[in-house]
Amino acid sequence: DTEVTQTPKHLVMGMTNKKSLKCEQHMGHRAMYWYKQKAKKPPELMFVYSYEKLSINESVPSRFSPECPNSSLLNLHLHALQPEDSALYLCASSQDPYRGNQPQHFGDGTRLSIL
Amino acid sequence: DQQVKQNSPSLSVQEGRISILNCDYTNSMFDYFLWYKKYPAEGPTFLISISSIKDKNEDGRFTVFLNKSAKHLSLHIVPSQPGDSAVYFCAASDDSNAGGTSYGKLTFGQGTILTVHP
């Protein structure tokens, strides 16, 4: 059982819709991450939150808007997405953003399809 | 520019034998290395890691070896089991600069599909 929970598991949306992906962890981790994974490719980092503050944005288009309301929750707000944004979106967390050598633990992802 | 490479897209092994998955990296700043296993429709599961101050780390059937001079790491699974069949990703990070812009950023290889036959 994964300790990082992502909802929904699947999402189909039109290009004009607004939706949100949610991620929750109760391990007391203070770093949280969003990754995007296309078919047969490795995960690619999108955003990093350290102690609820955005610390890394990998030049992600503004149609993706992350939010970290508290230390356990991470959201990814979606608006005006393009068909090429269809992918598996993975959330991960790690214990302490200022201590190295710590693994990131992943959720099972949200499979997003843009019509 | 692929900084982490897994040159074997797939590997097929008989049950009970050793599986050896390889990974090469080019960024000399990487100092922490991880292996993840991924089943279809699931997220990557952390398997084992190694920091650059070590050359070997063992956890049950899984052993990771690091050769810093060759910028090469490998994952050994002994004995291999059919349930080990999955995609294996190696990943690396530069954790030398706490709070820096690259801190905590994992760079993944392309993955190797391991199939263990009964």
Side-chain angles (χ1 to χ4, degrees), chain A residues 21-71:
Chain A
L21 310 185
K22 296 187 182 303
C23 174
E24 192 168 358
Q25 57 88 15
H26 294 290
M27 296 179 282
H29 289 177
R30 303 310 298 272
M32 296 186 77
Y33 312 80
W34 279 116
Y35 287 82
K36 174 181 177 180
Q37 185 176 20
K38 301 282 276 185
K40 300 189 188 305
K41 297 287 187 185
E44 291 182 354
L45 182 68
M46 300 173 72
F47 303 103
V48 181
Y49 272 83
S50 303
Y51 289 93
E52 295 94 69
K53 290 199 169 107
L54 183 65
S55 57
I56 296 177
N57 176 342
E58 289 287 289
S59 303
V60 179
S62 60
R63 56 186 185 267
F64 295 91
S65 175
E67 178 198 18
C68 190
N70 60 56
S71 61

Short mmCIF file of all heavy atoms in Angstrom, two decimals, chain A residues 21-71:
data_model
loop_
_atom_site.label_atom_id
_atom_site.label_comp_id
_atom_site.label_asym_id
_atom_site.label_seq_id
_atom_site.Cartn_x
_atom_site.Cartn_y
_atom_site.Cartn_z
N LEU A 21 -5.93 18.11 -9.32
CA LEU A 21 -5.41 16.84 -8.83
C LEU A 21 -5.02 17.03 -7.38
O LEU A 21 -4.49 18.09 -7.01
CB LEU A 21 -4.19 16.40 -9.64
CG LEU A 21 -4.31 16.40 -11.17
CD1 LEU A 21 -3.04 15.81 -11.79
CD2 LEU A 21 -5.54 15.66 -11.63
N LYS A 22 -5.26 15.97 -6.58
CA LYS A 22 -4.95 16.07 -5.16
C LYS A 22 -3.98 14.98 -4.73
O LYS A 22 -3.99 13.87 -5.25
CB LYS A 22 -6.24 15.96 -4.33
CG LYS A 22 -7.21 17.09 -4.58
CD LYS A 22 -8.39 17.05 -3.66
CE LYS A 22 -9.38 18.16 -3.97
NZ LYS A 22 -8.79 19.51 -3.91
N CYS A 23 -3.17 15.34 -3.76
CA CYS A 23 -2.17 14.43 -3.22
C CYS A 23 -2.14 14.61 -1.71
O CYS A 23 -2.15 15.75 -1.23
CB CYS A 23 -0.81 14.72 -3.83
SG CYS A 23 0.55 13.77 -3.12
N GLU A 24 -2.06 13.51 -0.98
CA GLU A 24 -2.05 13.57 0.48
C GLU A 24 -1.04 12.58 1.03
O GLU A 24 -0.93 11.44 0.54
CB GLU A 24 -3.45 13.25 1.01
CG GLU A 24 -3.66 13.56 2.46
CD GLU A 24 -5.13 13.51 2.86
OE1 GLU A 24 -5.99 13.27 2.00
OE2 GLU A 24 -5.42 13.72 4.05
N GLN A 25 -0.30 13.01 2.03
CA GLN A 25 0.61 12.08 2.73
C GLN A 25 0.54 12.39 4.22
O GLN A 25 0.42 13.55 4.61
CB GLN A 25 2.04 12.18 2.20
CG GLN A 25 2.69 13.55 2.24
CD GLN A 25 3.40 13.87 3.54
OE1 GLN A 25 3.68 12.98 4.36
NE2 GLN A 25 3.72 15.15 3.74
N HIS A 26 0.64 11.33 5.03
CA HIS A 26 0.58 11.48 6.49
C HIS A 26 1.81 10.89 7.13
O HIS A 26 1.74 10.30 8.21
CB HIS A 26 -0.71 10.85 7.03
CG HIS A 26 -1.95 11.57 6.58
ND1 HIS A 26 -2.29 12.82 7.04
CD2 HIS A 26 -2.90 11.22 5.69
CE1 HIS A 26 -3.41 13.21 6.46
NE2 HIS A 26 -3.80 12.27 5.64
N MET A 27 2.95 11.02 6.45
CA MET A 27 4.20 10.51 6.98
C MET A 27 5.00 11.61 7.67
O MET A 27 6.12 11.37 8.09
CB MET A 27 5.02 9.90 5.84
CG MET A 27 4.35 8.69 5.20
SD MET A 27 5.30 7.99 3.83
CE MET A 27 4.91 9.15 2.52
N GLY A 28 4.46 12.82 7.70
CA GLY A 28 5.18 13.93 8.30
C GLY A 28 6.28 14.47 7.40
O GLY A 28 7.18 15.19 7.87
N HIS A 29 6.22 14.13 6.12
CA HIS A 29 7.23 14.60 5.18
C HIS A 29 7.02 16.09 4.90
O HIS A 29 5.90 16.58 4.81
CB HIS A 29 7.17 13.81 3.87
CG HIS A 29 7.66 12.41 4.01
ND1 HIS A 29 7.65 11.51 2.97
CD2 HIS A 29 8.19 11.75 5.07
CE1 HIS A 29 8.17 10.36 3.38
NE2 HIS A 29 8.49 10.48 4.65
N ARG A 30 8.15 16.82 4.74
CA ARG A 30 8.04 18.27 4.55
C ARG A 30 8.45 18.70 3.16
O ARG A 30 8.55 19.90 2.87
CB ARG A 30 8.87 19.00 5.60
CG ARG A 30 8.50 18.67 7.03
CD ARG A 30 6.98 18.77 7.30
NE ARG A 30 6.47 20.11 7.11
CZ ARG A 30 6.45 21.05 8.07
NH1 ARG A 30 6.91 20.76 9.26
NH2 ARG A 30 5.94 22.24 7.82
N ALA A 31 8.76 17.75 2.28
CA ALA A 31 9.01 18.06 0.87
C ALA A 31 8.01 17.27 0.03
O ALA A 31 7.80 16.07 0.26
CB ALA A 31 10.43 17.67 0.46
N MET A 32 7.41 17.95 -0.93
CA MET A 32 6.44 17.29 -1.81
C MET A 32 6.70 17.71 -3.24
O MET A 32 7.17 18.83 -3.50
CB MET A 32 5.00 17.61 -1.38
CG MET A 32 4.66 17.06 0.01
SD MET A 32 2.95 17.25 0.50
CE MET A 32 2.17 15.93 -0.44
N TYR A 33 6.39 16.81 -4.16
CA TYR A 33 6.81 16.96 -5.55
C TYR A 33 5.66 16.59 -6.51
O TYR A 33 4.88 15.69 -6.22
CB TYR A 33 7.98 16.01 -5.86
CG TYR A 33 9.11 16.03 -4.86
CD1 TYR A 33 9.02 15.33 -3.65
CD2 TYR A 33 10.29 16.73 -5.13
CE1 TYR A 33 10.07 15.34 -2.74
CE2 TYR A 33 11.33 16.73 -4.22
CZ TYR A 33 11.23 16.04 -3.03
OH TYR A 33 12.25 16.04 -2.14
N TRP A 34 5.65 17.26 -7.65
CA TRP A 34 4.82 16.83 -8.78
C TRP A 34 5.73 16.43 -9.93
O TRP A 34 6.66 17.16 -10.27
CB TRP A 34 3.89 17.95 -9.26
CG TRP A 34 2.65 18.13 -8.46
CD1 TRP A 34 2.30 19.23 -7.72
CD2 TRP A 34 1.55 17.21 -8.31
NE1 TRP A 34 1.09 19.06 -7.12
CE2 TRP A 34 0.60 17.82 -7.47
CE3 TRP A 34 1.28 15.94 -8.81
CZ2 TRP A 34 -0.60 17.20 -7.12
CZ3 TRP A 34 0.09 15.32 -8.46
CH2 TRP A 34 -0.84 15.95 -7.63
N TYR A 35 5.42 15.26 -10.50
CA TYR A 35 6.12 14.77 -11.68
C TYR A 35 5.09 14.51 -12.78
O TYR A 35 3.94 14.17 -12.51
CB TYR A 35 6.84 13.45 -11.40
CG TYR A 35 8.08 13.55 -10.57
CD1 TYR A 35 8.01 13.60 -9.18
CD2 TYR A 35 9.34 13.55 -11.16
CE1 TYR A 35 9.17 13.68 -8.40
CE2 TYR A 35 10.50 13.61 -10.39
CZ TYR A 35 10.40 13.67 -9.02
OH TYR A 35 11.55 13.74 -8.27
N LYS A 36 5.58 14.55 -14.02
CA LYS A 36 4.77 14.18 -15.18
C LYS A 36 5.48 13.01 -15.86
O LYS A 36 6.71 13.05 -16.04
CB LYS A 36 4.67 15.36 -16.14
CG LYS A 36 3.98 15.08 -17.46
CD LYS A 36 3.98 16.33 -18.33
CE LYS A 36 3.37 16.07 -19.69
NZ LYS A 36 3.36 17.29 -20.52
N GLN A 37 4.71 11.98 -16.22
CA GLN A 37 5.32 10.85 -16.91
C GLN A 37 4.51 10.50 -18.15
O GLN A 37 3.33 10.13 -18.07
CB GLN A 37 5.42 9.62 -15.98
CG GLN A 37 6.16 8.46 -16.63
CD GLN A 37 6.34 7.27 -15.70
OE1 GLN A 37 5.63 7.11 -14.72
NE2 GLN A 37 7.34 6.45 -16.01
N LYS A 38 5.16 10.59 -19.29
CA LYS A 38 4.57 10.16 -20.55
C LYS A 38 4.87 8.69 -20.76
O LYS A 38 5.80 8.13 -20.18
CB LYS A 38 5.12 10.99 -21.72
CG LYS A 38 4.90 12.49 -21.60
CD LYS A 38 3.50 12.91 -21.95
CE LYS A 38 3.33 13.10 -23.43
NZ LYS A 38 1.98 13.64 -23.74
N ALA A 39 4.08 8.07 -21.65
CA ALA A 39 4.23 6.63 -21.88
C ALA A 39 5.66 6.28 -22.31
O ALA A 39 6.25 6.96 -23.15
CB ALA A 39 3.24 6.17 -22.95
N LYS A 40 6.19 5.24 -21.70
CA LYS A 40 7.51 4.70 -22.01
C LYS A 40 8.63 5.71 -21.78
O LYS A 40 9.71 5.60 -22.39
CB LYS A 40 7.57 4.17 -23.45
CG LYS A 40 6.57 3.06 -23.73
CD LYS A 40 6.83 2.43 -25.07
CE LYS A 40 5.73 1.45 -25.48
NZ LYS A 40 5.47 0.41 -24.50
N LYS A 41 8.39 6.69 -20.92
CA LYS A 41 9.41 7.68 -20.57
C LYS A 41 9.58 7.70 -19.05
O LYS A 41 8.69 7.26 -18.32
CB LYS A 41 8.97 9.07 -21.05
CG LYS A 41 8.84 9.20 -22.55
CD LYS A 41 10.19 9.23 -23.20
CE LYS A 41 10.07 9.52 -24.68
NZ LYS A 41 11.38 9.44 -25.36
N PRO A 42 10.70 8.24 -18.57
CA PRO A 42 10.84 8.37 -17.11
C PRO A 42 10.05 9.55 -16.58
O PRO A 42 9.68 10.44 -17.34
CB PRO A 42 12.35 8.61 -16.96
CG PRO A 42 12.76 9.25 -18.24
CD PRO A 42 11.89 8.66 -19.31
N PRO A 43 9.80 9.58 -15.28
CA PRO A 43 9.13 10.74 -14.68
C PRO A 43 9.99 11.99 -14.85
O PRO A 43 11.22 11.93 -14.74
CB PRO A 43 9.00 10.36 -13.21
CG PRO A 43 9.12 8.88 -13.17
CD PRO A 43 10.03 8.52 -14.29
N GLU A 44 9.32 13.11 -15.08
CA GLU A 44 10.01 14.41 -15.20
C GLU A 44 9.48 15.34 -14.13
O GLU A 44 8.27 15.51 -13.99
CB GLU A 44 9.77 15.02 -16.58
CG GLU A 44 10.43 14.28 -17.71
CD GLU A 44 10.19 14.96 -19.05
OE1 GLU A 44 9.42 15.94 -19.11
OE2 GLU A 44 10.78 14.49 -20.04
N LEU A 45 10.40 15.95 -13.40
CA LEU A 45 10.01 16.83 -12.31
C LEU A 45 9.32 18.08 -12.83
O LEU A 45 9.76 18.68 -13.83
CB LEU A 45 11.26 17.23 -11.51
CG LEU A 45 11.03 18.12 -10.30
CD1 LEU A 45 10.27 17.35 -9.20
CD2 LEU A 45 12.35 18.63 -9.75
N MET A 46 8.23 18.47 -12.13
CA MET A 46 7.53 19.71 -12.46
C MET A 46 7.76 20.76 -11.36
O MET A 46 8.21 21.86 -11.61
CB MET A 46 6.04 19.47 -12.61
CG MET A 46 5.67 18.48 -13.70
SD MET A 46 3.90 18.10 -13.68
CE MET A 46 3.19 19.63 -14.30
N PHE A 47 7.40 20.39 -10.11
CA PHE A 47 7.46 21.33 -8.99
C PHE A 47 7.97 20.63 -7.74
O PHE A 47 7.75 19.44 -7.56
CB PHE A 47 6.05 21.89 -8.66
CG PHE A 47 5.35 22.57 -9.80
CD1 PHE A 47 4.33 21.94 -10.48
CD2 PHE A 47 5.69 23.88 -10.15
CE1 PHE A 47 3.66 22.57 -11.52
CE2 PHE A 47 5.03 24.52 -11.19
CZ PHE A 47 4.01 23.86 -11.88
N VAL A 48 8.61 21.44 -6.88
CA VAL A 48 9.00 20.97 -5.55
C VAL A 48 8.51 21.97 -4.52
O VAL A 48 8.70 23.18 -4.69
CB VAL A 48 10.54 20.83 -5.41
CG1 VAL A 48 10.89 20.32 -4.01
CG2 VAL A 48 11.11 19.91 -6.47
N TYR A 49 7.90 21.46 -3.46
CA TYR A 49 7.52 22.28 -2.31
C TYR A 49 8.35 21.86 -1.12
O TYR A 49 8.44 20.67 -0.80
CB TYR A 49 6.03 22.12 -1.98
CG TYR A 49 5.15 23.07 -2.74
CD1 TYR A 49 4.74 22.80 -4.03
CD2 TYR A 49 4.74 24.27 -2.15
CE1 TYR A 49 3.94 23.69 -4.73
CE2 TYR A 49 3.94 25.17 -2.84
CZ TYR A 49 3.55 24.87 -4.13
OH TYR A 49 2.76 25.76 -4.83
N SER A 50 8.96 22.86 -0.45
CA SER A 50 9.72 22.61 0.76
C SER A 50 9.08 23.40 1.89
O SER A 50 8.99 24.63 1.79
CB SER A 50 11.18 23.08 0.59
OG SER A 50 11.77 22.44 -0.51
N TYR A 51 8.64 22.71 2.92
CA TYR A 51 7.94 23.36 4.03
C TYR A 51 6.83 24.27 3.51
O TYR A 51 6.72 25.44 3.87
CB TYR A 51 8.92 24.15 4.92
CG TYR A 51 9.82 23.26 5.73
CD1 TYR A 51 11.08 22.89 5.26
CD2 TYR A 51 9.40 22.77 6.98
CE1 TYR A 51 11.88 22.05 6.02
CE2 TYR A 51 10.21 21.93 7.71
CZ TYR A 51 11.45 21.57 7.23
OH TYR A 51 12.26 20.74 7.97
N GLU A 52 6.02 23.72 2.65
CA GLU A 52 4.84 24.36 2.08
C GLU A 52 5.14 25.56 1.19
O GLU A 52 4.22 26.28 0.79
CB GLU A 52 3.85 24.81 3.19
CG GLU A 52 3.24 23.64 3.98
CD GLU A 52 4.03 23.34 5.23
OE1 GLU A 52 4.01 24.16 6.17
OE2 GLU A 52 4.70 22.28 5.28
N LYS A 53 6.40 25.76 0.85
CA LYS A 53 6.75 26.87 -0.05
C LYS A 53 7.31 26.30 -1.36
O LYS A 53 8.10 25.35 -1.34
CB LYS A 53 7.79 27.78 0.58
CG LYS A 53 7.26 28.59 1.76
CD LYS A 53 8.16 29.79 2.03
CE LYS A 53 7.45 30.69 3.02
NZ LYS A 53 7.99 30.68 4.33
N LEU A 54 6.93 26.91 -2.47
CA LEU A 54 7.41 26.47 -3.76
C LEU A 54 8.90 26.76 -3.86
O LEU A 54 9.32 27.91 -3.77
CB LEU A 54 6.65 27.18 -4.88
CG LEU A 54 7.00 26.75 -6.31
CD1 LEU A 54 6.61 25.29 -6.55
CD2 LEU A 54 6.29 27.65 -7.32
N SER A 55 9.71 25.72 -4.05
CA SER A 55 11.16 25.92 -4.11
C SER A 55 11.72 25.66 -5.50
O SER A 55 12.76 26.20 -5.86
CB SER A 55 11.88 25.03 -3.08
OG SER A 55 11.56 23.66 -3.28
N ILE A 56 11.07 24.83 -6.28
CA ILE A 56 11.53 24.57 -7.65
C ILE A 56 10.31 24.53 -8.58
O ILE A 56 9.32 23.87 -8.30
CB ILE A 56 12.29 23.22 -7.75
CG1 ILE A 56 13.58 23.27 -6.93
CG2 ILE A 56 12.62 22.89 -9.21
CD1 ILE A 56 14.35 21.94 -6.93
N ASN A 57 10.42 25.29 -9.67
CA ASN A 57 9.46 25.24 -10.77
C ASN A 57 10.28 24.99 -12.02
O ASN A 57 11.08 25.84 -12.41
CB ASN A 57 8.69 26.56 -10.86
CG ASN A 57 7.74 26.60 -12.05
OD1 ASN A 57 7.84 25.83 -12.99
ND2 ASN A 57 6.80 27.52 -12.00
N GLU A 58 10.11 23.82 -12.62
CA GLU A 58 10.94 23.44 -13.76
C GLU A 58 10.38 24.04 -15.06
O GLU A 58 10.12 23.32 -16.03
CB GLU A 58 11.03 21.93 -13.87
CG GLU A 58 11.86 21.28 -12.78
CD GLU A 58 13.35 21.52 -12.97
OE1 GLU A 58 13.94 20.94 -13.90
OE2 GLU A 58 13.91 22.31 -12.18
N SER A 59 10.15 25.35 -15.04
CA SER A 59 9.67 26.06 -16.24
C SER A 59 8.39 25.43 -16.78
O SER A 59 8.25 25.23 -18.00
CB SER A 59 10.75 26.06 -17.34
OG SER A 59 11.93 26.66 -16.86
N VAL A 60 7.49 25.13 -15.87
CA VAL A 60 6.22 24.51 -16.25
C VAL A 60 5.25 25.60 -16.74
O VAL A 60 5.17 26.68 -16.14
CB VAL A 60 5.61 23.77 -15.04
CG1 VAL A 60 4.27 23.14 -15.40
CG2 VAL A 60 6.58 22.71 -14.52
N PRO A 61 4.49 25.34 -17.81
CA PRO A 61 3.52 26.34 -18.31
C PRO A 61 2.52 26.73 -17.23
O PRO A 61 2.15 25.93 -16.36
CB PRO A 61 2.83 25.61 -19.47
CG PRO A 61 3.78 24.55 -19.88
CD PRO A 61 4.54 24.14 -18.66
N SER A 62 2.05 27.97 -17.31
CA SER A 62 1.18 28.52 -16.26
C SER A 62 -0.19 27.86 -16.24
O SER A 62 -0.95 28.08 -15.28
CB SER A 62 1.03 30.03 -16.45
OG SER A 62 0.46 30.30 -17.71
N ARG A 63 -0.52 27.05 -17.22
CA ARG A 63 -1.81 26.33 -17.17
C ARG A 63 -1.79 25.24 -16.07
O ARG A 63 -2.82 24.67 -15.75
CB ARG A 63 -2.15 25.73 -18.53
CG ARG A 63 -1.11 24.80 -19.12
CD ARG A 63 -1.53 24.41 -20.53
NE ARG A 63 -0.62 23.42 -21.13
CZ ARG A 63 0.42 23.73 -21.87
NH1 ARG A 63 0.72 25.00 -22.10
NH2 ARG A 63 1.18 22.76 -22.39
N PHE A 64 -0.60 24.97 -15.53
CA PHE A 64 -0.47 24.11 -14.36
C PHE A 64 -0.15 25.01 -13.17
O PHE A 64 0.86 25.73 -13.19
CB PHE A 64 0.68 23.10 -14.53
CG PHE A 64 0.46 22.11 -15.63
CD1 PHE A 64 0.90 22.37 -16.92
CD2 PHE A 64 -0.19 20.92 -15.38
CE1 PHE A 64 0.71 21.46 -17.93
CE2 PHE A 64 -0.39 19.99 -16.39
CZ PHE A 64 0.06 20.26 -17.66
N SER A 65 -0.97 24.94 -12.13
CA SER A 65 -0.78 25.81 -10.98
C SER A 65 -0.76 24.97 -9.70
O SER A 65 -1.78 24.43 -9.30
CB SER A 65 -1.91 26.84 -10.92
OG SER A 65 -1.81 27.61 -9.75
N PRO A 66 0.41 24.85 -9.06
CA PRO A 66 0.47 24.03 -7.84
C PRO A 66 0.04 24.83 -6.63
O PRO A 66 0.09 26.07 -6.61
CB PRO A 66 1.95 23.66 -7.76
CG PRO A 66 2.65 24.85 -8.35
CD PRO A 66 1.72 25.39 -9.42
N GLU A 67 -0.35 24.07 -5.60
CA GLU A 67 -0.74 24.71 -4.34
C GLU A 67 -0.46 23.73 -3.22
O GLU A 67 -0.72 22.53 -3.36
CB GLU A 67 -2.24 25.04 -4.35
CG GLU A 67 -2.75 25.67 -3.06
CD GLU A 67 -4.27 25.59 -2.92
OE1 GLU A 67 -4.90 24.77 -3.64
OE2 GLU A 67 -4.82 26.32 -2.09
N CYS A 68 0.07 24.24 -2.10
CA CYS A 68 0.33 23.39 -0.95
C CYS A 68 -0.37 24.00 0.26
O CYS A 68 0.22 24.82 0.98
CB CYS A 68 1.83 23.27 -0.71
SG CYS A 68 2.30 22.02 0.50
N PRO A 69 -1.63 23.64 0.52
CA PRO A 69 -2.40 24.29 1.59
C PRO A 69 -1.88 23.98 2.99
O PRO A 69 -2.03 24.80 3.90
CB PRO A 69 -3.81 23.72 1.43
CG PRO A 69 -3.80 22.86 0.24
CD PRO A 69 -2.41 22.67 -0.23
N ASN A 70 -1.29 22.80 3.17
CA ASN A 70 -0.67 22.46 4.46
C ASN A 70 0.37 21.38 4.24
O ASN A 70 0.57 20.93 3.11
CB ASN A 70 -1.74 22.05 5.49
CG ASN A 70 -2.53 20.83 5.06
OD1 ASN A 70 -1.95 19.78 4.77
ND2 ASN A 70 -3.85 20.97 5.03
N SER A 71 0.99 20.94 5.32
CA SER A 71 2.13 20.04 5.16
C SER A 71 1.75 18.66 4.65
O SER A 71 2.62 17.90 4.24
CB SER A 71 2.85 19.90 6.51
OG SER A 71 1.99 19.36 7.48
#
